Amino acid sequence: MCGIIGVTGADDAREVLLEGLERLEYRGYDSAGIALVDADGISRIRIADGTHSVALLREPARALDRGQRAGIGHNRWATHGQPSERNAHPHVDCSGDIVLVHNGIVENYAELAAGLRQRGHEFRSDTDTEVFVHLIEEQMQQGSDLVSSLRNVLQKVRGTFGLGVMSIKDPELLVAARRVSPLVIGVSGEATYLASDIPAILEHTREIIALDDDQIAQLRPNSVVIETLEGEPITPRLRTIAWDVEAAQKGGFEDFMSKEIDEQPTAIADTLRGRIDGDGRIVLDQLDLSDEELRKITHVSVVACGSSFHAGLVAKYALEHWARLPVEVDIASEFRYRDPVLHDTSLVIGVSQSGETVDTLQALRQAASSGAKVIVVSNVVDSSMAREADGVLYTHAGPEIGVAATKTVVAQIVALELLGLRLAQVRGTLTPEEVATQVAALRAMPDIVADAITRNDDVQKVAEAVNDAKDFFFLGRHAGYPTALEGALKLKEISYLHAEGYPGGELKHGPLAVIEPGCVVVAVASSGPLQEKMLSNVAEVKARGATVILVVDDGDEEASAQGDFVLSVPPAPALLAPLKDIVALQQFAYHLARGRGLDVDRPRNLAKTVTVE
Ligand code: AGP
């Protein structure tokens, strides 16, 4: 989710790189760097000062300029290794002749790096990316050119990449390759551009070629050659972009929220990536808790706010079932002001996409002072919480711009469920076969969630049908209960409508009194252990005249018949069902808010990160 810019043939390569990085800033980043390349060498500068890094590059970058016409640049959003100058891209090899930028994750970097170190390579960063330059260096030392070297190296690498690489041996050549992480090439006739995102190069050209997975491209000032990784030639498809820069930053989506809803399959896949080894063992290397420590845990306490709290609630069902540990889930602002009973066998998990929410941060500090082990699920590497905790479980959802959390929530659920399976593994509460079944189910979720997203038009029709309603009740049971809470939060947050979430079983204990014609009840009734009971609750609200919208699995005619409207979702095991049921509720909230003409990305009164109490 970092940003890449590259150019060859520009009159002022330095300016192209800096402007490109500025155009990519909207994605969020923690450090930035550029490298200018000519036959005399590589001039590189990197700065790690959060979202000021590109501006700070400008002044020192002047000193690098000797009229170079080519180079590469990068805005980094840390995944491996903290945000720092040494970890910022571009990275160079030992000789300093090869320079590279990379988006994505190298799953087998530890193994590759160990081999390279043994063969005498010196690493100057803690990133997974650096293995690329050293592997290319080895290939070039054996006489291969840059393209063949990269081709050979990519065969050894497991994971995802969008990368640009240059060498002083052929300084007009910029080589790019892609697997999963997007890359586009821009052509102007005089210069050729490379970027991870169209806005970075829109100022220079509107003629764009999108690189597909497993393709490698050779960019020269007035030519582009594209081949598959196996060397088969590809005829580039040129398209002319009509969008303005703002539209392009949203990747053709109307707003960041719909873009981020669409990115959820990738967020799930990236959060799973590299965390299950060949033997089916869950590997959470930054957790920093030994198997022995995991076995000693007697109780788990999750603290979080808002949507992150809902992700924690989903995890409670999974952790208790799989790891047979008692799990409490607390709103952080309550936890910090009560007197929670914690001891050195307690595991306290802070869940926060930003890693900066002040209530969660303070709650974790309090937990740490009582001797509990503290870990954090964060989407931001080296956030305050990540720095202070004993261990970290990063989600890899990429920066989330919309105030309403979407892709980070599903990524949090996945990260917590991986932790649940790890606990079950070391504590022996699931057999290896049972763990393997859950792992396979988790691995299927990116496709299932992608399928759920395709129902958007149907969800829009249902939202339009209840456009006049003022009161919404979201009901769910079991893992469907936090899903209902999240659906209600999403709706109130972006549409400003009254929405409440309840466990279905609580209906008779109060809320039923306010149900009357005009109320809309959204019930999460996808198949699960309590579906029948959920449908009895539905009958109760129907009898009082509510309009009922049911979230049901495809083909469940019996359940569907009980709703006035249906949001169909693909089926999934009950403990993973929130990942796809939440999608329908995000889209429902989205369309109601858009129908009311509201800005879904910047809801009134709310901030993306809440750093005040
Ligand atoms: C959700 O849509 C909200 N914007 C909000 O509830 C958010 O989840 C909460 O503020 C917690 O933020 P965090 O995950 O960054 O700690």
Side-chain angles (χ1 to χ4, degrees):
M1 287 296 167
C2 317
I4 286 179
I5 175 79
V7 68
T8 175
D11 288 339
D12 185 351
R14 175 183 55 109
E15 194 51 32
V16 170
L17 300 181
L18 291 170
E19 275 175 11
L21 293 183
E22 278 161 4
R23 293 279 186 211
L24 293 170
E25 280 184 323
Y26 74 97
R27 297 163 61 95
Y29 69 109
D30 48 57
S31 46
I34 62 167
L36 295 167
V37 182
D38 63 12
D40 293 334
I42 290 165
S43 311
R44 178 174 65 140
I45 178 134
R46 300 169 296 164
I47 287 186
D49 194 353
T51 47
H52 304 294
S53 303
V54 178
L56 294 172
L57 279 178
R58 278 201 166 273
E59 195 44 46
R62 274 184 224 282
L64 307 182
D65 203 339
R66 49 171 183 261
Q68 297 97 322
R69 295 166 58 81
I72 47 180
H74 191 264
N75 282 350
R76 178 169 186 252
W77 171 268
T79 58
H80 288 76
Q82 55 178 208
S84 63
E85 194 183 315
R86 81 185 234 108
N87 289 335
H89 301 214
H91 291 289
V92 292
D93 67 322
C94 299
S95 65
D97 290 351
I98 302 163
V99 64
L100 177 138
V101 290
H102 165 234
N103 288 353
I105 298 172
V106 182
E107 288 176 24
N108 55 336
Y109 82 99
E111 171 193 328
L112 293 170
L116 284 160
R117 281 198 181 92
Q118 259 175 16
R119 299 194 291 277
H121 291 266
E122 191 195 326
F123 276 70
R124 302 191 190 96
S125 79
D126 316 308
T127 64
D128 51 338
T129 295
E130 200 183 333
V131 295
F132 281 113
V133 272
H134 296 291
L135 289 168
I136 295 170
E137 178 187 9
E138 286 189 339
Q139 295 284 325
M140 290 189 79
Q141 275 165 357
Q142 287 160 24
S144 290
D145 62 17
L146 184 59
V147 182
S148 328
S149 299
L150 178 60
R151 210 190 290 284
N152 293 340
V153 166
L154 293 179
Q155 282 173 5
K156 301 180 206 269
V157 168
R158 268 201 326 270
T160 57
F161 49 82
L163 56 84
V165 56
M166 302 188 73
S167 153
I168 62 165
K169 303 250 158 56
D170 188 353
E172 282 201 337
L173 173 67
L174 167 54
V175 182
R178 170 194 171 159
R179 177 175 296 154
V180 180
S181 302
L183 279 182
V184 292
I185 296 163
V187 291
S188 75
E190 285 150 14
T192 306
Y193 304 84
L194 176 72
S196 53
D197 237 355
I198 293 170
I201 53 179
L202 216 44
E203 212 166 300
H204 308 287
T205 178
R206 293 189 168 268
E207 305 301 308
I208 302 289
I209 302 162
L211 207 60
D212 283 333
D213 271 354
D214 293 327
Q215 291 183 348
I216 188 162
Q218 300 170 51
L219 282 62
R220 293 190 181 272
N222 47 24
S223 72
V224 177
V225 175
I226 303 182
E227 292 170 339
T228 63
L229 291 186
E230 287 74 39
E232 295 297 318
I234 301 282
T235 312
R237 267 177 294 126
L238 202 66
R239 63 185 173 119
T240 307
I241 299 295
W243 310 326
D244 60 18
V245 169
E246 201 198 326
Q249 285 181 335
K250 292 172 184 155
F253 288 86
E254 295 276 329
D255 35 59
F256 286 110
M257 184 176 176
S258 50
K259 178 171 182 270
E260 286 159 4
I261 288 175
D262 200 69
E263 286 171 345
Q264 292 180 111
T266 311
I268 295 173
D270 284 348
T271 300
L272 287 172
R273 201 176 304 288
R275 284 175 162 164
I276 301 149
D277 71 11
D279 303 324
R281 201 166 163 272
I282 314 289
V283 189
L284 306 172
D285 46 12
Q286 284 162 300
L287 206 57
D288 267 355
L289 291 177
S290 65
D291 288 2
E292 196 45 42
E293 285 172 305
L294 290 175
R295 270 191 280 272
K296 277 193 189 144
I297 293 166
T298 54
H299 125 268
V300 176
S301 197
V302 179
V303 289
C305 302
S307 294
S308 300
F309 170 73
H310 301 152
L313 277 178
V314 173
K316 174 183 169 79
Y317 290 86
L319 261 70
E320 289 190 338
H321 187 63
W322 292 336
R324 304 306 298 140
L325 274 166
V327 180
E328 283 179 294
V329 188
D330 269 278
I331 297 273
S333 54
E334 288 299 312
F335 180 94
R336 62 181 285 203
Y337 290 116
R338 62 184 177 83
D339 193 9
V341 180
L342 297 170
H343 22 78
D344 58 3
T345 58
S346 302
L347 175 67
V348 178
I349 309 174
V351 185
S352 172
Q353 74 81 21
S354 61
E356 302 295 342
T357 302
V358 72
D359 283 318
T360 312
L361 181 62
Q362 292 297 359
L364 296 184
R365 284 179 178 158
Q366 185 181 330
S369 68
S370 69
K373 286 266 174 260
V374 172
I375 63 165
V376 164
V377 174
S378 169
N379 196 46
V380 180
V381 171
D382 219 31
S383 57
S384 301
M385 288 182 216
R387 284 198 304 273
E388 292 186 24
D390 297 315
V392 194
L393 190 46
Y394 285 119
T395 49
H396 295 303
E400 191 174 64
I401 313 286
V403 166
T406 51
K407 61 177 180 169
T408 54
V409 183
V410 293
Q412 286 167 343
I413 294 171
V414 167
L416 288 164
E417 294 199 333
L418 280 172
L419 174 63
L421 290 177
R422 178 84 198 112
L423 283 164
Q425 235 165 18
V426 295
R427 300 165 68 86
T429 47
L430 290 182
T431 64
E433 293 72 28
E434 286 167 329
V435 173
T437 304
Q438 298 304 334
V439 163
L442 266 174
R443 282 184 159 148
M445 287 317 291
D447 287 343
I448 292 173
V449 170
D451 182 0
I453 290 167
T454 64
R455 323 292 172 97
N456 186 45
D457 291 352
D458 297 336
V459 178
Q460 181 171 3
K461 285 186 194 119
V462 176
E464 282 166 2
V466 296
N467 209 17
D468 291 336
K470 299 277 177 288
D471 293 304
F472 290 79
F473 290 84
F474 288 73
L475 303 180
R477 302 190 74 138
H478 193 257
Y481 161 49
T483 305
L485 291 180
E486 178 61 7
L489 177 63
K490 241 31 357 150
L491 183 61
K492 72 178 80 145
E493 190 178 17
I494 61 171
S495 74
Y496 318 148
L497 286 162
H498 168 231
E500 292 183 52
Y502 275 102
E506 272 294 287
L507 209 54
K508 289 195 197 65
H509 302 284
L512 201 52
V514 291
I515 302 292
E516 58 183 9
C519 289
V520 175
V521 173
V522 183
V524 182
S526 49
S527 40
L530 297 180
Q531 190 201 31
E532 221 170 88
K533 291 188 190 297
M534 186 69 249
L535 292 174
S536 309
N537 298 140
V538 166
E540 288 160 0
V541 297
K542 268 193 93 174
R544 270 110 193 143
T547 301
V548 172
I549 300 173
L550 290 180
V551 178
V552 289
D553 288 343
D554 291 337
D556 190 345
E557 305 300 339
E558 214 179 310
S560 300
Q562 304 199 36
D564 297 299
F565 301 99
V566 163
L567 303 176
S568 289
V569 284
L575 290 169
L576 307 187
L579 295 170
K580 47 86 183 180
D581 293 346
I582 279 176
V583 172
L585 301 186
Q586 292 167 343
Q587 292 175 332
F588 180 66
Y590 174 86
H591 289 298
L592 271 163
R594 291 278 311 215
R596 295 163 66 83
L598 298 170
D599 178 348
V600 293
D601 289 336
R602 285 179 291 263
R604 70 184 183 198
N605 306 340
L606 299 177
K608 183 69 187 159
T609 304
V610 184
T611 50
V612 289
E613 227 191 297

